[in-house]
Amino acid sequence: MKNFKKLSVLFLLVLSFSAVQAQKRHLDNYRDPDQRGINVFEAPKDTVSTFDGVRVRIGGSSTLQFQAIDHENGVPQNLIDDGTVQALQEIGYNFNLATANLDLDVALAKGVRMHLRTYLSSRHHPEPYVKGGYFQIDNLDFIKEGLLENVMKYTTLKVGHMENNYGDTHFRRTDNAQAIYNPFVGNLIMDAFTTEVGAELYYRRNGFIGMIGFSNGKLNQDVEINNGSNTGGAAFLAKLGYDKQLSDDLRVRLTGSLYNTGYASSVYLYSADRSGSRYYSVMTTPLYYDWRTQSMQNTTASNTFRTGRFDPGYTNKITAVMINPFVKYGGLEFFGTFEISNGRSSAETDNRSTTQLAGEVIYRFGQTENFFLGGRYNTVSSEISSNNDIDINRVQLSAGWFLTKNILAKVEYVNQKYDGYPTDNVLYEGKFNGLMAEAVISF
């Protein structure tokens, strides 16, 4: 009850402040959190400044899904009867937990902006917690008027505990309640997303994009040394690409990205999303095997919130490369993903490799492209041990309608299959399929 009262007061304050600021919501070099932000990747670089004093933009998003999914596997009944493998958890059709985000974006000086996102409600955490934030610097006039003016026309610096810019898929994925950029309900099977303390330096000119960045390679920040190990390592990030509107109808973009850790106490590139998967409780059992602790754990919302995804289990070292082509001609667009990663866990001496492919075709139509139809094929092939390779394949079909630029309704059919798992694994000949409906508000 106390938490409810606190959130109610906060919500009323947000509404009252938003009403006052209703005509002052534009910020420089900012990706709009509504329909206008679709197919925007890095925040735009605009040298024209409108700064006239500190300005606070309060925004947020909320989503709700109805899930109608069935799951099954091919585990022999005798292995279930003798307790070798548990039967799948029974699931039905109903609403999922409503999720919500709170965003604070602040223009602090000419060319200097701060962003902070808090998850008010997520599948992993019922209580609010901070996802991360950063400073974005596009101009150095706050230090000295005209400082490096010709360089800063093309340069951006981001510093913070923030979402790493590895690949382009994270610009289109669902980030807890921020689902308006995603033409589907679910993210990719192998969902590359992490928040780490670091800095990224961008140079953009004539359509070309270059970025180099470093982070401390840690999701959870601390200074403790356990069992003689160090407090962490470092991660190197890089991106190179080209993005150009070639004509009124045609836009092309192609980027290649790198994420590398020589050593890190833990690697979370594919397991850092604390908000959770949209496919609730699929392919789960009352108990599950936790590869990090190497023990059986009770199935709860806090430890199986990434159901339907795949984590290759690299914990100490990783090299990952992602290539993303994007083409939009009129209302028709294609976005692709080719990703290969290589790494190992702390218990392994040899590296393993994983490959992910995804291709999605979206057709947007209507006077303001407020309707869309889409399809995506996603596959992951991975070595999960020295003598065991697995494949996971997913098909998604979607349709959506922007009722306004801030309100989106979408429906998705999903079909995912697992191949290569041994007979004593709950994912042996596993599959889930069905419908998801999602309503999104973002402002």
Side-chain angles (χ1 to χ4, degrees):
M1 182 61 70
K2 290 182 179 179
N3 287 336
F4 177 77
K5 290 180 179 179
K6 290 179 181 179
L7 289 175
S8 298
V9 172
L10 178 61
F11 182 68
L12 291 174
L13 289 174
V14 168
L15 287 181
S16 60
F17 193 86
S18 296
V20 174
Q21 295 288 325
Q23 303 304 318
K24 298 182 178 181
R25 291 175 61 79
H26 172 76
L27 298 177
D28 297 335
N29 305 316
Y30 175 72
R31 183 187 187 187
D32 290 298
D34 51 43
Q35 186 183 5
R36 294 170 296 177
I38 290 176
N39 292 331
V40 176
F41 295 86
E42 291 83 9
K45 175 71 174 178
D46 186 352
T47 56
V48 178
S49 174
T50 63
F51 181 78
D52 59 359
V54 174
R55 181 181 301 174
V56 180
R57 186 190 192 282
I58 298 180
S61 50
S62 63
T63 64
L64 180 63
Q65 309 90 38
F66 182 85
Q67 177 171 310
I69 287 180
D70 298 305
H71 64 176
E72 62 182 74
N73 61 21
V75 175
Q77 187 61 42
N78 65 297
L79 295 183
I80 296 175
D81 293 339
D82 66 17
T84 302
V85 183
Q86 292 190 74
L88 287 172
Q89 174 71 49
E90 292 187 35
I91 58 175
Y93 302 169
N94 216 317
F95 288 95
N96 290 332
L97 173 72
T99 56
N101 292 359
L102 174 65
D103 293 335
L104 294 178
D105 291 279
V106 185
L108 296 168
K110 181 181 178 182
V112 181
R113 178 168 64 83
M114 184 206 80
H115 168 78
L116 178 68
R117 172 163 291 174
T118 299
Y119 294 159
L120 297 180
S121 170
S122 69
R123 184 178 173 187
H124 189 209
H125 284 281
E127 76 282 358
Y129 71 102
V130 175
K131 168 207 170 182
Y134 58 84
F135 286 106
Q136 178 175 305
I137 301 173
D138 289 282
N139 192 291
L140 297 178
D141 283 4
F142 70 98
I143 298 176
K144 180 182 179 182
E145 187 74 25
L147 179 62
L148 298 178
E149 181 178 7
N150 292 330
V151 174
M152 295 307 296
K153 284 182 180 179
Y154 312 105
T155 304
T156 299
L157 176 65
K158 289 176 65 177
V159 181
H161 187 178
M162 59 187 181
E163 179 179 325
N164 286 355
N165 187 6
Y166 164 69
D168 283 350
T169 60
H170 72 106
F171 293 116
R172 296 169 69 91
R173 71 186 293 278
T174 292
D175 185 20
N176 195 41
Q178 175 48 285
I180 211 160
Y181 304 141
N182 190 348
F184 302 93
V185 175
N187 295 331
L188 293 185
I189 296 171
M190 197 165 71
D191 190 22
F193 168 90
T194 186
T195 54
E196 300 169 358
V197 175
E200 297 173 348
L201 182 66
Y202 297 79
Y203 189 82
R204 289 177 281 182
R205 188 170 186 176
N206 298 327
F208 289 96
I209 304 166
M211 184 276 291
I212 58 171
F214 291 92
S215 75
N216 68 345
K218 297 183 66 172
L219 175 69
N220 301 308
Q221 306 303 318
D222 61 60
V223 296
E224 296 178 359
I225 298 177
N226 297 311
N227 299 322
S229 64
N230 61 34
T231 60
F236 171 73
L237 298 99
K239 176 177 282 190
L240 184 65
Y242 181 78
D243 187 344
K244 192 77 169 180
Q245 189 76 40
L246 299 179
S247 69
D248 291 340
D249 292 326
L250 179 61
R251 176 187 173 190
V252 296
R253 176 183 170 98
L254 177 65
T255 64
S257 300
L258 170 70
Y259 179 92
N260 175 262
T261 61
Y263 170 82
S265 56
S266 293
V267 174
Y268 287 95
L269 181 61
Y270 302 112
S271 61
D273 178 22
R274 285 93 70 206
S275 64
S277 161
R278 284 297 193 248
Y279 309 124
Y280 280 55
S281 301
V282 297
M283 308 310 298
T284 60
T285 63
L287 291 175
Y288 84 106
Y289 183 76
D290 187 342
W291 58 266
R292 289 187 183 273
T293 62
Q294 297 186 2
S295 62
M296 298 301 292
Q297 302 288 332
N298 290 322
T299 296
T300 65
S302 64
N303 57 30
T304 60
F305 58 95
R306 302 186 192 95
T307 47
R309 296 182 185 171
F310 174 76
D311 176 7
Y314 306 141
T315 58
N316 287 113
K317 185 176 182 181
I318 185 173
T319 299
V321 175
M322 183 185 293
I323 298 173
N324 299 111
F326 171 74
V327 179
K328 180 173 173 60
Y329 183 78
L332 185 65
E333 64 187 55
F334 169 81
F335 179 79
T337 299
F338 170 75
E339 182 176 19
I340 184 166
S341 60
N342 190 280
R344 64 174 182 261
S345 70
S346 57
E348 296 174 308
T349 56
D350 296 326
N351 286 356
R352 295 178 286 109
S353 64
T354 303
T355 301
Q356 175 168 238
L357 297 172
E360 57 190 63
V361 177
I362 311 296
Y363 179 62
R364 304 184 188 273
F365 58 99
Q367 188 173 6
T368 58
E369 293 192 351
N370 54 318
F371 298 96
F372 66 81
L373 298 172
R376 174 198 279 163
Y377 179 73
N378 185 191
T379 181
V380 170
S381 299
S382 181
E383 299 174 290
I384 59 174
S385 66
S386 59
N387 58 358
N388 195 189
D389 296 346
I390 60 95
D391 294 288
I392 307 174
N393 302 292
R394 179 193 292 173
V395 174
Q396 293 164 271
L397 303 175
S398 71
W401 174 27
F402 282 92
L403 287 74
T404 74
K405 71 177 187 296
N406 302 101
I407 304 173
L408 170 63
K410 52 184 169 178
V411 62
E412 173 191 278
Y413 169 78
V414 60
N415 188 325
Q416 181 163 313
K417 297 181 179 180
Y418 298 80
D419 185 44
Y421 285 89
T423 56
D424 60 353
N425 189 299
V426 70
L427 297 178
Y428 174 68
E429 295 184 355
K431 69 176 181 179
F432 66 87
N433 59 77
L435 294 174
M436 298 287 298
E438 183 172 58
V440 185
I441 299 172
S442 184
F443 59 93

